[in-house]
Amino acid sequence: MFFYVVRRLISVVIMLFVISATTFLIFFASPIDPASLTCGKSCTPAVIEGNRIKLGYNDPVPVQYVKFLKGLVVGRDYPDDPQIKANNPQLVTHCDAPSLGYSTVKTKCVTDIVKEALPITASIAMGAFVIWIITGVLFGIIAALNRGRWPDRLLVGLSLIGYSVPSFFIGVLLLTFVSIKWQLWPLPQYTSFTDNPLLWAQGIFLPSVALAAVFGASYVRLTRAYMLETMSEDYIRTARAKGVKETTVIRRHGLRAALTPIVTAAGLDLGGLLGGAIVTEQVFNFTGLGWTSIQAINVADLPIIVAVVVVASFFIVMANLVVDVLYGVIDPRVRLT
């Protein structure tokens, strides 16, 4: 198991390096001068040149990328010029590690912007994850064990409806009727978990439900399909023939085997959500990573766009790593690959 995890960690490091290099090249090696996108409508030749020096865009692209990687480890100064640091230290802004860049639009270190937005997105994503895993897997098992009967038809029908309705529409319905018209739930507002756990859970509940509805519906169908396939295997019939209790057959033999593809889908879906639940955050006006990325795209704030892409990729890759490790726990045969 140890060497299996080590191999996966090495592949993760290589993948993150490739992703960061590719992202950096796409945005900063393009024909468009990145410095011209740093000041919006107030751009003048003097401002563009000043921002080019401050952000290091006057260096060759490989040098810029090396400084970007160095900033992730030890932090970075903007501008990173020894002469300016010595003569005009008041003009230098230091961004602590891991430094993801500096936004001249917001005049702020990008890492600080990400730190403010990430807990919001993570809260919504984790809330949605818990709701859709519990409801999706549970209802999928119930549907599979009642194949052809009315619980199966009801749950499959509801899952088809849920899967067909976009999450933003569900969010608008919840916000309009549940919170505003019927006042069954307070208007969603984000509160930090450390400040008040109860208000935190209350604030993220409706956005999490809206985000979980579509995923939960797909997991009902996914769990049902894999449970039906697993419960028809020969070893299940053998266990029943030996007199093993039905609950043990379902829990230890059927569900465990069906969990492998479900874990794959769940890990990747969660990683994608942590990268930014854009639509849900827009509907409920939560200033998470999704909202932040939309604002950055509107003003072409490249450092923030690059940071969001890198952070989103990081969570997707790490989710894939967790899935691989869980594979080894669920199915020992995977460790040999």
Side-chain angles (χ1 to χ4, degrees):
M1 185 67 179
F2 174 76
F3 293 104
Y4 171 77
V5 174
V6 170
R7 290 199 303 270
R8 292 299 181 267
L9 285 173
I10 293 174
S11 66
V12 163
V13 172
I14 295 173
M15 193 175 302
L16 287 174
F17 174 78
V18 172
I19 290 173
S20 64
T22 303
T23 304
F24 198 88
L25 288 173
I26 289 174
F27 286 102
F28 293 105
S30 64
I32 301 175
D33 180 10
S36 64
L37 304 175
T38 60
C39 45
K41 297 180 180 179
S42 61
C43 277
T44 62
V47 172
I48 292 174
E49 186 59 30
N51 287 342
R52 179 179 289 108
I53 296 173
K54 185 178 183 67
L55 298 176
Y57 294 160
N58 54 335
D59 295 324
V61 174
V63 175
Q64 293 182 44
Y65 180 64
V66 170
K67 288 185 177 180
F68 176 77
L69 293 180
K70 182 180 177 181
L72 293 175
V73 180
V74 298
R76 188 175 173 185
D77 292 327
Y78 295 91
D80 191 7
D81 186 300
Q83 186 175 356
I84 296 178
K85 291 179 184 179
N87 299 331
N88 299 288
Q90 71 278 5
L91 299 179
V92 178
T93 302
H94 179 74
C95 295
D96 295 328
S99 173
L100 293 169
Y102 181 83
S103 171
T104 55
V105 176
K106 293 183 177 292
T107 62
K108 196 173 184 179
C109 294
V110 175
T111 303
D112 295 333
I113 298 172
V114 172
K115 285 181 179 179
E116 294 173 1
L118 183 57
I120 301 174
T121 299
S123 297
I124 299 174
M126 291 303 298
F129 180 77
V130 171
I131 293 172
W132 95 55
I133 283 294
I134 293 176
T135 57
V137 173
L138 178 61
F139 291 157
I141 294 173
I142 294 174
L145 297 179
N146 292 275
R147 181 180 184 180
R149 296 196 288 269
W150 71 264
D152 181 25
R153 295 191 180 95
L154 176 63
L155 291 172
V156 171
L158 291 176
S159 68
L160 287 173
I161 295 173
Y163 190 74
S164 303
V165 179
S167 60
F168 72 86
F169 182 71
I170 298 174
V172 170
L173 290 179
L174 291 173
L175 187 62
T176 303
F177 292 97
V178 177
S179 285
I180 298 176
K181 187 173 183 179
W182 298 333
Q183 297 183 354
L184 299 176
W185 197 265
L187 284 170
Q189 292 182 336
Y190 180 77
T191 302
S192 174
F193 179 83
T194 56
D195 293 340
N196 191 318
L198 184 60
L199 288 179
W200 170 82
Q202 176 183 289
I204 68 168
F205 179 71
L206 289 185
S208 297
V209 170
L211 200 57
V214 176
F215 288 96
S218 66
Y219 276 70
V220 171
R221 302 170 64 194
L222 187 66
T223 305
R224 177 184 181 274
Y226 285 116
M227 279 295 294
L228 288 175
E229 180 182 347
T230 302
M231 297 302 288
S232 63
E233 295 288 344
D234 291 338
Y235 68 89
I236 296 291
R237 288 193 290 269
T238 302
R240 285 170 172 165
K242 289 182 177 181
V244 180
K245 292 181 180 179
E246 186 65 19
T247 54
T248 304
V249 172
I250 295 171
R251 179 172 53 87
R252 295 188 60 182
H253 300 288
L255 182 58
R256 184 171 183 177
L259 275 178
T260 303
I262 295 173
V263 166
T264 304
L268 295 178
D269 286 340
L270 177 60
L273 285 181
L274 287 172
I278 296 178
V279 175
T280 303
E281 290 177 6
Q282 288 286 95
V283 171
F284 290 94
N285 198 28
F286 275 40
T287 55
L289 281 181
W291 184 90
T292 301
S293 62
I294 292 296
Q295 299 301 311
I297 291 171
N298 288 336
V299 295
D301 196 342
L302 290 185
I304 294 181
I305 296 172
V306 171
V308 171
V309 172
V310 171
V311 169
S313 302
F314 171 80
F315 281 114
I316 292 173
V317 171
M318 293 307 296
N320 196 41
L321 173 64
V322 172
V323 167
D324 287 343
V325 174
L326 289 177
Y327 262 17
V329 175
I330 296 172
D331 188 351
R333 296 172 298 177
V334 178
R335 304 173 198 172
L336 302 177
T337 60

